[in-house]
Amino acid sequence: MRDFPSCFGENAVQIADSSSSNGNRTAQNLVTCVYQCRLRGRSCLITLTWSKNLMGQGLGVGIDDSNNQSLCKVEIKPWLFSKRKGSKSIELDDSSNIDMYWDFSSAKFGSGPEPLEGFYFAIVSDRQMILLLGDMKKDALKKANAALVPNSSVFIAKREHIFGKKVFCTKAQFCDNGPIHDLMIECDTISTNDPYLIVRIDTKNVMQLKRLRWKFRGNHTILVDGLPVEVFWDVHDWLFGTSIGSAVFMFKTSLSAEKLWSSQPLSDHRIVHWSQSHSQRFRDSQSHHLGFSLILYVWKSE
């Protein structure tokens, strides 16, 4: 592991070794979303990992308590997911029970593994809907025979992999229930003597860097929907790496994602150390107003 403490001073960033070129194509078919929810009156984190492979779409669900202790992990395998509709009752490690319901029979998908519309996915405890996703909410409530609890869940973090040659595009939602924006990252490290980096939101330039060889890591604040969004970037492997690797970007609206992502199996030290200066605030916070973190692993095509 290479350490570059001088880049950020006290907010030092460590760079983990890059993944192999075979791994990047697998990784780009994973999207991880994290929600803060209330389960039997206690705060918990629900992590959904949407995946896509030759067998079809799949979904992994993990529930952790406020101490990052796992309560359950469930895999809805592609061959079960392909049945499009289903439910599952699960006993948690604390002996309580939850029920999961899903219907993807009319779901529409884009190029990624997440469904875009025509679906629902729900988690129910004590006949209360603690997490409800999708645009078929009435169908989910009827199927689960559960009551919808206002503000029962908050979307607090997302991690995804995007792929391209020089321009990389995705959709971004910087706060829970906020508008969805077109996010574009343009980075040319090959065809010019002066590599540059541009970030656009809804076609508007919000950040532009030249002399990227001297600024391959950094952070900058932009405004989106009237909110300050801190942008962190690390493009070291694109400029100086000896193998195909990813650049990493994080868009963070408020409190730290350090505690959250450090508990995940795909955590990256680049993300963890970016957030260390705010980690105590995250641990101390018991409210739903945690802000939002979007973490992008950006891969260049061969």
Side-chain angles (χ1 to χ4, degrees):
M1 181 178 293
R2 295 158 285 161
D3 190 10
F4 296 88
S6 61
C7 293
F8 291 113
E10 65 176 7
N11 299 331
V13 178
Q14 287 186 333
I15 306 300
D17 291 337
S18 301
S19 301
S20 68
S21 58
N22 289 332
N24 66 7
R25 295 189 180 275
T26 301
Q28 68 172 316
N29 289 321
L30 292 175
V31 172
T32 301
C33 300
V34 183
Y35 304 84
Q36 189 185 50
C37 303
R38 303 291 295 179
L39 178 61
R40 294 179 178 269
R42 296 172 296 171
S43 177
C44 69
L45 295 178
I46 298 180
T47 302
L48 303 184
T49 301
W50 304 91
S51 61
K52 182 180 180 181
N53 57 35
L54 294 176
M55 300 190 68
Q57 267 88 6
L59 175 61
V61 182
I63 302 179
D64 299 277
D65 65 18
S66 58
N67 295 317
N68 278 340
Q69 297 298 312
S70 176
L71 298 178
C72 81
K73 290 185 178 180
V74 179
E75 295 288 335
I76 302 176
K77 301 294 186 181
W79 52 88
L80 296 176
F81 196 89
S82 62
K83 293 181 179 179
R84 301 293 183 174
K85 297 177 73 171
S87 63
K88 190 176 184 68
S89 183
I90 301 158
E91 182 176 352
L92 304 183
D93 289 350
D94 62 359
S95 298
S96 61
N97 289 282
I98 62 169
D99 297 294
M100 296 183 185
Y101 301 86
W102 64 89
D103 184 350
F104 301 99
S105 57
S106 302
K108 295 181 180 180
F109 292 85
S111 58
E114 285 181 286
L116 302 177
E117 59 180 315
F119 77 100
Y120 68 74
F121 175 80
I123 298 179
V124 176
S125 174
D126 294 332
R127 292 195 175 184
Q128 291 188 334
M129 193 75 69
I130 63 173
L131 179 66
L132 177 56
L133 304 178
D135 56 348
M136 297 171 55
K137 292 181 171 57
K138 290 183 179 180
D139 299 79
L141 292 169
K142 181 178 180 181
K143 178 67 177 179
N145 190 26
L148 184 61
V149 180
N151 302 317
S152 61
S153 64
V154 178
F155 188 23
I156 61 172
K158 182 176 183 178
R159 178 178 53 202
E160 65 177 299
H161 300 252
I162 57 178
F163 204 72
K165 292 186 177 180
K166 186 175 76 171
V167 177
F168 311 88
C169 300
T170 188
K171 300 287 186 180
Q173 187 178 18
F174 294 99
C175 61
D176 189 53
N177 296 321
I180 297 175
H181 298 278
D182 291 313
L183 172 62
M184 186 181 78
I185 297 170
E186 180 178 341
C187 188
D188 192 345
T189 59
I190 299 176
S191 63
T192 177
N193 292 326
D194 185 11
Y196 64 87
L197 172 66
I198 299 174
V199 176
R200 297 187 179 96
I201 294 179
D202 297 332
T203 71
K204 178 183 178 181
N205 282 16
V206 294
M207 191 181 86
Q208 184 167 351
L209 292 176
K210 297 181 179 180
R211 301 182 181 88
L212 199 57
R213 292 185 182 276
W214 297 98
K215 303 174 183 177
F216 54 86
R217 296 189 193 96
N219 61 293
H220 179 73
T221 301
I222 63 175
L223 286 177
V224 182
D225 302 326
L227 296 173
V229 177
E230 193 78 5
V231 182
F232 297 83
W233 67 89
D234 184 331
V235 297
H236 175 276
D237 286 356
W238 282 355
L239 293 165
F240 309 110
T242 57
S243 62
I244 296 176
S246 66
V248 183
F249 294 81
M250 179 166 71
F251 298 79
K252 185 165 69 71
T253 61
S254 183
L255 300 180
S256 167
E258 182 270 335
K259 177 183 175 184
L260 175 67
W261 290 116
S262 64
S263 68
Q264 302 300 320
L266 291 178
S267 64
D268 187 302
H269 287 282
R270 288 174 281 195
I271 306 303
V272 171
H273 287 268
W274 278 336
S275 304
Q276 277 188 331
S277 63
H278 301 285
S279 60
Q280 188 61 44
R281 290 176 64 193
F282 186 96
R283 282 190 287 266
D284 293 341
S285 175
Q286 299 297 318
S287 72
H288 280 247
H289 305 290
L290 293 178
F292 180 78
S293 296
L294 170 65
I295 300 170
L296 300 177
Y297 286 79
V298 184
W299 304 87
K300 282 184 177 286
S301 60
E302 301 174 3

